[in-house]
């Protein structure tokens, strides 16, 4: 084969290799490869161009991380809406059960009152249909008249009381029925809210999982490393404010118990809507931890922020809850030394992290 033909063959081989490399999946985030040595006789234009640098790959992964954060944040907001609807449904169902019991008891009472009224009517019929007052006036015996007058007054009061009680019982039953109907309407509206929230949660998580599934194993590992670096950077900035030097309050007895419970869950998976014992979402972890310490509290992070007493960040103590993001969509428990325990997001497990690794909205104290 002549020199010219060998040169053309070498050029063709180089071009094919370049096409294969450029068409390979994941090259957008791959490490740069060394420039191939030109084959003797090949032209400079046949060389494969260099792959993106590590900095470019990290920039692309950083964009992925930002998008994932947005998707999981939206899922967290929807999870709070789902949990709120679930909690409201439990309360409304309990109220409906209580009203149903009142209605049954009221119906039994009404039936008894009607029986008593009927007995009084039958007794009057047996005496010729004359009321007690008329029969008393027809009596010729003075002593019987005086004794009878007292009984008449008692009978009048009893009759009036019976009629009043019948009326009240009927009014109560009507109100119980209206209240039960209103609770059913709320329950139905809550079911729709819950279903809409669930649909949004599943959609956001599905999109996030699809985005992550496109990454290769090395890229996923690098993405987790970028997440850790971002959290560490935020934690360092928070610590640099000197706030940790001002935090020195000891945990209360209940706070210590809550911390023990929460830290014992480390390693268990995050599952939205979960309250244990095998998995948790962020507010499920904090509410169950404080429940174990004997303190009932709101189920969602947003309600925990609204209803629990606020304390300054510099005054927080172990067991206090740190609420994150401007919409109070995430909550963690402070365990001391600038550290929190929390259930981060789908795909992660309950873990320890820096208290300043996310934007702090404020701190609440369940046992204030």
């Amino acid at each position: 084969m002549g020199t010219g033909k060998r040169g053309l063959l070498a050029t063709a081989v180089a071009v094919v290799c370049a096409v294969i490399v450029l068409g390979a999946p994941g090259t957008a985030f791959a490490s740069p490869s060394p420039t191939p040595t030109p084959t003797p006789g090949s032209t400079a234009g046949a060389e494969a161009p260099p792959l993106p640098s590590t900095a470019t790959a990290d920039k692309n992964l950083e964009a992925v991380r930002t998008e994932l954060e947005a998707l999981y944040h939206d899922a967290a907001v929807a999870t709070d809406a789902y949990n709120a609807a679930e909690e409201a449904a439990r309360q409304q169902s309990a109220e409906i059960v209580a009203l149903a019991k009142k209605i049954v008891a009221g119906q039994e009472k009404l039936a008894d009152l009607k029986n008593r009224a009927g007995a009084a009517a039958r007794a009057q019929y047996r005496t010729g249909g004359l009321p007690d007052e008329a029969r008393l006036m027809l009596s010729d015996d003075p002593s019987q008249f005086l004794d009878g007058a007292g009984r008449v007054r008692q009978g009048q009061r009893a009759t009036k009381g019976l009629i009043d009680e019948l009326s009240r019982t009927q009014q109560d039953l009507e109100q119980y029925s209206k209240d039960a109907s209103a609770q059913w309407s709320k329950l139905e509206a809550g079911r729709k809210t819950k279903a809409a929230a669930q649909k949004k949660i599943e959609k956001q998580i599905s999109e996030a999982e699809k985005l992550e599934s496109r990454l290769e194993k090395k890229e996923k590992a690098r993405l987790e490393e970028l997440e850790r670096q971002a959290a560490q950077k935020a934690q360092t900035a928070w610590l640099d404010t000197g706030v940790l030097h001002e935090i020195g309050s000891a945990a209360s007895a209940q706070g210590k118990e809550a911390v023990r419970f929460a830290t014992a869950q480390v390693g268990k998976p995050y599952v939205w809507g979960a309250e244990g014992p095998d998995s948790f979402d962020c507010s499920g972890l904090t509410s169950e931890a404080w429940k174990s310490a004997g303190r009932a509290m709101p189920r969602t992070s947003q309600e925990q922020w609204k209803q629990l007493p606020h304390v300054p960040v510099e005054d927080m103590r172990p067991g206090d809850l740190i609420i994150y993001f401007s919409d109070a969509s995430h909550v963690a428990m402070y365990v001391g030394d600038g550290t929190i325990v929390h259930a981060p997001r789908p795909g992660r497990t309950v873990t320890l992290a820096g208290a300043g690794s996310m934007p702090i909205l404020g701190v609440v104290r369940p046992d204030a």
Side-chain angles (χ1 to χ4, degrees), residues 339-350:
T339 304
I340 56 170
V341 59
H342 71 143
R345 65 166 177 82
R348 299 289 187 263
T349 60
V350 176

Side-chain angles (χ1 to χ4, degrees), residues 286-359:
T286 55
S287 60
E288 288 300 304
W290 272 100
K291 185 186 293 185
S292 75
R295 179 77 64 162
M297 59 183 294
R299 170 65 177 86
T300 70
S301 59
Q302 292 176 344
E303 288 304 311
Q304 289 169 5
W305 174 243
K306 288 178 184 176
Q307 297 185 33
L308 297 177
H310 293 200
V311 297
V313 174
E314 60 269 20
D315 292 338
M316 70 179 173
R317 64 192 187 194
D320 287 348
L321 307 182
I322 304 180
I323 310 296
Y324 292 96
F325 304 107
S326 59
D327 55 5
S329 57
H330 190 69
V331 60
M333 180 178 292
Y334 185 65
V335 297
D337 296 326
T339 304
I340 56 170
V341 59
H342 71 143
R345 65 166 177 82
R348 299 289 187 263
T349 60
V350 176
T351 188
L352 296 173
S357 57
M358 295 170 285

